[in-house]
């Protein structure tokens, strides 16, 4: 029962530069970010299966979650 | 010279004399181009104490060695002058296609000097350079006139022009281009207006010499490839800078009702996805951009179109004015563009006036009968028009910028005039974000965000932390990020797509034939930063620490609502930030570069 998290850009540094990582589904995205050590406040946009979702979204089996942050700034 | 057009064009508007000189290799070596050229020529050529609106001031327009080349977003043009808004250094960046075309005319800089006796436009077609009569164009809006000029000369000509705001002397008038791109900040359009130059129209067909064509091709392609492969490309292209609107609201950084709070209860309807769905028609990019952040929008309610709004305008014309409707924000954007005024400063000025009105400091007698309350979009539209026309009374007053307006009105309104050094703060609320606050306090042009955007770093380290690491981060960003404006390319591919900045190094080397690591480039960035600091000190008697203070709103008045309610940076922490900053920069406790610092940066010749 898992979902895939794909952090964009500089957020990759939180998962050792990998492109994606598997997490358990059945938890909220915020909880999953906490386990991965990604500070949820720096995530600007969450896209789950091509749809924008809030950070308290409950992860479903097979979800692909893209995380966009603006680390370098505007 | 490889990577350069090779010439500097001087236009003496007073006499009409036009001359060209070779681009000085030493200046190219030490300052590279773009913003570096601007800072150097400003300091060297504009005499001390020159009136920003007088004939001695110059408008210096420069491309960089990456401009117009096969490099992502290689369309950034720098406009430098002595600011009529702040009395200090102004440097504003313009995207689009102007700088690429300018480079193909063989020009690295255009320096406008003196004051023309009548309205003119500068026409450049490769080596043909002429000042032509612009009397019939005077008074026209920028979008209207650009269309006319393109129709007259052809689509391949690029146009940079001012609107009524610049003609009438609004202190924060912009220079516009490509129907929606602006060199917006610091009043560069005001200086063009006082010089009576309505437009620059140019076309170039020359090629640019390159040191290593094959290396250039490879390095350029490598840069485009990483952009195309970047994970966030699709989202960046879909939303552009509006990606951050909802996030700013969530973290308390969205300026709300003249920065009295950082979250807006009506924010949802100005978020990026709402905008995309409700008004965006298509995406629009600058020269050579693989990740077009520009959005072209249609506002049904008004039956109008605009390029934008981008995040800064949404923050300053939306939440900062208590306006939570994306069509209203976009319409305000359109009015500012057509009239040629900076949306950030205009939004700040109107926000300040709305607060004055709600507090009874201004009354209907002052506001031409307008109910100038937060949330009143129609009143905001009317005020934009009155500011740009410099209508006697409040319009003319707001057109001087919030610092001077508050000095004149008094009654405590100085405390909520949100600016640093006279430049209105752009769209990040900094009640409890100490690195971002410091970035605004120490920015080289006044309270602008783009030199050091440190707000995520605040969240990573702890927003109220006042630690040397934050200060070091701000300094690093200030030295490094503006180098994109020196090189003449967009920084957003690095910022948003997080591409490896080292990929620019071989590209720059192949183009110019000079190897420069990012370490070398950051040193040049530091040199330019210190030079601009010297400029402020030279032009303003008593310049020093007090000039770096932010609006008291950020250390005296915690927001009453939103996620930062009750949070504030203490005044002693503001002072500690400055202490650490000056020390790390190698400046005195008054914020002036020490002799050793100037020597280390090879700036001794500029010391007083
Ligand atoms: S990212 Fe935006 S500002 Fe930068 S070059 Fe592309 S369109 Fe222009």
């Amino acid at each position: 029962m898992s979902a895939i998290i794909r952090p964009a850009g500089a957020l990759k540094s939180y998962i050792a530069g990998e492109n994606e990582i598997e997490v358990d589904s059945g938890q909220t995205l915020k909880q999953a970010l906490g386990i991965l050590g990604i500070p949820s406040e720096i995530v600007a946009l969450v896209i789950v299966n091509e749809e924008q979702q809030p950070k308290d979204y409950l992860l479903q089996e097979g979800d692909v979650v893209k995380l966009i942050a603006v680390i370098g700034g505007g | 010279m490889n990577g350069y057009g090779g010439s500097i064009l001087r236009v003496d508007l007073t006499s009409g004399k036009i001359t060209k000189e070779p681009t000085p290799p030493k200046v190219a070596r030490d300052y590279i181009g773009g913003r570096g050229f601007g800072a150097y020529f400003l300091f060297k050529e504009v005499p001390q104490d020159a009136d920003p609106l007088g004939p001695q001031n110059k408008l210096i327009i420069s491309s960089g060695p990456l401009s117009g080349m096969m490099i992502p977003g290689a369309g950034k043009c720098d406009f430098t002058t002595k600011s009529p808004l702040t009395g200090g250094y102004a440097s504003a960046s313009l995207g689009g296609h102007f700088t690429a075309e300018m480079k193909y005319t063989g020009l690295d800089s255009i320096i406008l000097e003196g004051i023309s006796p009548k309205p003119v436009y500068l026409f450049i077609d490769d080596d043909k350079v002429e000042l032509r009569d612009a009397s019939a164009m005077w008074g026209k809006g920028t979008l209207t006139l650009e269309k006319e000029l393109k129709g007259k000369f052809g689509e391949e000509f690029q146009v940079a022009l001012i609107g009524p705001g610049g003609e009438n002397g609004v202190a924060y008038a912009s220079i516009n281009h490509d129907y929606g791109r602006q060199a917006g900040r610091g009043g560069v359009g005001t200086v063009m207006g006082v010089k009576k130059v309505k437009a620059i129209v140019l076309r170039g067909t020359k090629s640019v010499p390159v040191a290593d064509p094959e290396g250039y091709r490879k390095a350029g392609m490598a840069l485009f490839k990483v952009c195309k492969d970047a994970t966030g490309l699709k989202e960046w292209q879909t939303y552009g800078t509006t990606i951050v609107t909802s996030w700013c609201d969530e973290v308390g950084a969205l300026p709300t009702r003249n920065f009295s709070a950082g979250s807006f209860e009506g924010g949802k309807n100005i978020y990026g996805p709402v905008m995309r769905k409700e008004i965006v028609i298509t995406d629009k990019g600058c020269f050579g951009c693989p990740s077009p952040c520009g959005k072209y929008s249609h506002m049904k309610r008004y039956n109008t179109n605009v390029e934008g709004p981008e995040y800064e305008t949404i923050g300053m014309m939306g939440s900062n004015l208590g306006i939570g409707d994306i069509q209203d924000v976009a319409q305000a954007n359109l009015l500012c563009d057509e009239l040629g005024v900076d949306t950030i400063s205009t939004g700040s000025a109107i926000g300040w006036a709305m607060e004055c009105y709600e507090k009874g400091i201004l009354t209907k007698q002052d506001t031409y009968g307008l109910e100038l309350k937060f949330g009143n979009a129609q009143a905001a539209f009317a005020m934009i028009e009155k500011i740009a026309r410099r209508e006697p009374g409040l319009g003319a007053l707001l057109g001087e910028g919030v610092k001077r307006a508050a000095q004149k009105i008094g009654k405590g309104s100085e405390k909520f005039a949100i600016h640093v050094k006279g430049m209105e703060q752009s769209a990040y609320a900094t009640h409890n974000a100490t690195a971002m606050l410091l970035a605004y306090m120490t920015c080289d042009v006044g309270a602008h965000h783009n030199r050091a955007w440190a707000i995520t770093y605040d969240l990573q380290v702890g927003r109220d932390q006042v630690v040397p690491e934050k200060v070091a981060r701000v300094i690093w960003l200030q030295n490094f990020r503006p180098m994109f404006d020196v090189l003449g390319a967009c920084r957003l591919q690095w910022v948003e797509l997080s591409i490896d900045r080292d990929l620019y190094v071989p590209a720059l080397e192949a183009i110019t034939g000079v190897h420069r690591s990012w370490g070398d480039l950051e040193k040049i960035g530091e040199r330019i930063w210190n030079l601009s600091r010297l400029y402020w000190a030279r032009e303003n008697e008593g310049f020093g620490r007090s000039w770096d203070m932010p609006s008291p709103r950020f250390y005296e008045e915690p927001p009453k609502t939103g996620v930062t309610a009750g949070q504030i940076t203490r005044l002693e922490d503001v002072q500690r930030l400055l202490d650490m900053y000056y020390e790390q920069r190698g400046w005195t406790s008054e914020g002036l570069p020490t002799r050793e610092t100037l020597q280390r940066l090879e700036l001794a010749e500029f010391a007083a």
Side-chain angles (χ1 to χ4, degrees):
Chain A
M1 298 280 280
S2 63
I4 288 174
I5 309 266
R6 281 196 191 135
L11 276 179
K12 286 183 188 162
S13 63
Y14 288 93
I15 58 163
E18 296 295 323
N19 283 328
E20 56 181 51
I21 193 163
E22 258 183 45
V23 296
D24 289 338
S25 53
Q27 58 180 336
T28 66
L29 175 66
K30 221 174 194 168
Q31 287 167 326
L33 293 177
I35 293 167
L36 295 174
I38 301 179
S40 75
E41 322 83 73
I42 68 170
V43 174
L45 190 69
V46 176
I47 306 283
V48 182
N49 309 327
E50 305 297 315
E51 287 273 324
Q52 199 197 357
Q53 296 291 352
K55 286 175 197 163
D56 53 11
Y57 171 81
L58 190 68
L59 292 169
Q60 311 287 317
E61 164 79 26
D63 276 349
V64 177
V65 181
K66 228 190 223 187
L67 304 177
I68 314 287
V70 201
I71 304 244
Chain B
M1 223 168 15
N2 288 319
Y4 291 84
S7 299
I8 309 280
L9 180 74
R10 268 179 207 283
V11 182
D12 180 349
L13 294 154
T14 309
S15 66
K17 194 171 156 211
I18 294 171
T19 50
K20 265 189 205 174
E21 60 204 58
T23 302
K26 186 175 174 313
V27 182
R29 187 193 69 196
D30 295 344
Y31 294 88
I32 299 184
R35 179 172 178 277
F37 277 15
Y40 177 85
F41 289 128
L42 177 73
F43 201 107
K44 278 277 182 193
E45 297 190 3
V46 176
Q48 187 170 354
D49 297 329
D51 176 358
L53 300 178
Q56 290 180 315
N57 196 11
K58 300 189 182 188
L59 181 63
I60 304 149
I61 306 163
S62 307
S63 67
L66 297 187
S67 303
M69 309 304 281
M70 189 186 68
I71 300 293
K76 288 289 178 185
C77 190
D78 176 84
F79 290 74
T80 290
T81 195
K82 180 172 182 181
S83 169
L85 179 65
T86 67
Y89 164 72
S91 152
S93 171
L94 174 74
H97 303 261
F98 184 82
T99 197
E101 203 66 37
M102 175 173 145
K103 183 101 164 253
Y104 306 150
T105 68
L107 297 175
D108 297 312
S109 295
I110 298 172
I111 304 182
L112 301 181
E113 313 178 340
I115 287 184
S116 169
K118 58 170 194 188
V120 289
Y121 69 99
L122 179 63
F123 179 84
I124 303 175
D125 191 2
D126 277 335
D127 291 328
K128 181 172 172 182
V129 183
E130 292 170 2
L131 281 172
R132 295 183 177 178
D133 182 33
S135 306
M137 298 175 189
W138 210 245
K140 289 197 176 175
T142 69
L143 301 162
T144 312
L145 182 59
E146 182 164 6
K147 204 167 171 198
E148 280 179 27
L149 289 168
K150 288 258 191 184
K152 179 171 172 164
F153 294 110
E155 278 298 320
E156 70 274 29
F157 279 83
Q158 297 299 335
V159 181
L161 74 175
I162 58 161
E167 296 172 12
N168 297 332
V170 176
Y172 40 83
S174 58
I175 296 173
N176 295 20
H177 159 64
D178 200 23
Y179 307 107
R181 293 272 161 184
Q182 288 83 25
R185 307 237 62 200
V188 290
T190 320
V191 174
M192 189 153 148
V194 81
K195 294 190 176 306
K196 292 223 168 49
V197 178
K198 179 70 180 173
I200 302 172
V201 179
L202 50 79
R203 174 175 69 175
T205 60
K206 298 181 188 181
S207 55
V208 179
V210 161
D212 167 12
E214 184 52 21
Y216 163 50
R217 194 187 64 80
K218 275 196 189 139
M221 291 303 282
L223 274 162
F224 277 103
K225 183 163 184 339
V226 290
C227 290
K228 284 281 174 210
D229 293 346
T231 323
L233 176 63
K234 188 170 161 212
E235 287 69 29
W236 175 244
Q237 183 162 341
T238 305
Y239 301 113
T241 57
T242 72
I243 275 187
V244 298
T245 314
S246 56
W247 174 79
C248 284
D249 202 12
E250 185 188 319
V251 302
L254 187 68
T256 299
R257 289 181 290 271
N258 196 32
F259 287 86
S260 61
S263 311
F264 181 40
E265 66 289 345
K268 291 214 162 31
N269 291 328
I270 54 172
Y271 287 178
V274 172
M275 169 171 149
R276 180 86 213 183
K277 214 163 139 199
E278 203 176 309
I279 61 170
V280 174
I281 313 169
T282 188
D283 305 323
K284 189 162 173 264
C286 307
F287 174 86
C289 180
S291 50
C293 73
K295 302 291 147 244
Y296 202 72
S297 300
H298 175 70
M299 292 79 84
K300 245 195 207 142
R301 191 181 312 139
Y302 299 102
N303 193 23
T304 48
N305 299 323
V306 72
E307 180 179 343
E310 53 87 53
Y311 170 70
E312 290 299 323
T313 304
I314 293 173
M316 297 308 293
M317 287 288 176
S319 49
N320 195 51
L321 303 185
I323 295 173
D325 179 292
I326 198 65
Q327 292 200 41
D328 286 343
V329 175
Q331 182 66 13
N333 190 161
L334 173 63
L335 291 172
C336 289
D337 286 2
E338 176 73 346
L339 294 165
V341 289
D342 175 29
T343 56
I344 298 174
S345 288
T346 308
S348 184
I350 296 175
W352 172 83
M354 284 178 163
E355 185 163 346
C356 286
Y357 185 78
E358 294 207 348
K359 288 187 162 148
I361 297 171
L362 295 174
T363 67
K364 266 198 180 155
Q365 276 187 328
D366 305 302
T367 63
Y368 315 95
L370 293 167
E371 184 76 347
L372 199 58
K373 283 192 166 163
F374 288 114
N376 187 345
Q378 298 303 322
F381 298 164
M383 279 316 301
I384 294 170
E385 191 86 32
K386 290 175 193 302
I387 290 171
R389 309 266 174 227
R390 299 217 64 201
E391 205 160 303
L394 190 60
L397 183 73
L398 295 181
E400 293 185 32
V402 289
K403 181 182 170 187
R404 275 179 237 153
Q407 279 167 351
K408 283 191 183 152
I409 293 294
K411 299 183 186 164
S413 67
E414 302 93 329
K415 291 223 169 192
F416 54 86
I418 313 297
H419 71 91
V420 178
K421 299 180 184 70
M423 177 180 276
E424 291 74 17
Q425 179 157 327
S426 59
Y428 299 93
T430 44
H431 301 92
N432 189 14
T434 50
M436 194 67 216
L437 182 66
L438 179 66
Y440 275 127
M441 289 158 63
T442 56
C443 174
D444 58 353
V445 291
H448 195 45
H449 61 283
N450 80 345
R451 294 354 189 215
W453 198 87
I455 198 155
T456 28
Y457 196 67
D458 277 317
L459 297 172
Q460 286 171 295
V461 175
R463 49 198 305 163
D464 58 354
Q465 294 291 304
V466 176
V467 290
E469 294 79 6
K470 276 197 181 180
V471 175
R473 173 82 177 188
V474 168
I475 292 175
W476 174 69
L477 288 169
Q478 288 175 339
N479 290 344
F480 150 54
R481 284 173 50 121
M483 285 310 293
F484 284 99
D485 298 322
V486 169
L487 299 173
C490 180
R491 69 182 184 284
L492 292 180
Q493 286 72 31
W494 170 76
V495 169
E496 314 294 355
L497 305 179
S498 293
I499 67 172
D500 182 356
R501 67 177 192 158
D502 283 340
L503 290 169
Y504 288 93
V505 169
L508 183 63
E509 180 172 357
I511 290 170
T512 61
V514 182
H515 175 78
R516 290 182 178 103
S517 67
W518 270 108
D520 301 331
L521 294 171
E522 282 168 21
K523 185 173 175 192
I524 293 174
E526 190 183 0
R527 178 180 298 146
I528 298 166
W529 198 266
N530 278 268
L531 184 60
S532 66
R533 189 78 180 179
L534 288 179
Y535 186 76
W536 276 98
R538 190 186 82 175
E539 298 305 310
N540 295 282
E541 219 186 312
F543 179 82
R545 190 178 184 104
S546 64
W547 290 64
D548 289 333
M549 289 301 286
S551 159
R553 180 144 278 179
F554 299 120
Y555 56 85
E556 283 182 359
E557 274 188 76
K560 292 193 180 73
T561 56
V563 298
T564 49
Q567 299 175 19
I568 198 81
T569 304
R570 293 174 311 168
L571 176 59
E572 65 215 66
D573 283 337
V574 173
Q575 297 290 7
R576 269 177 62 218
L577 284 166
L578 282 182
D579 287 338
M580 286 192 270
Y581 180 87
Y582 294 159
E583 197 192 323
Q584 289 190 30
R585 275 255 178 233
W587 292 358
T588 67
S589 61
E590 264 305 303
L592 299 174
T594 62
R595 194 163 290 279
E596 297 76 60
T597 301
L598 295 180
Q599 261 157 9
R600 177 172 62 78
L601 296 170
E602 295 152 61
L603 285 172
E605 63 170 310
F606 294 96

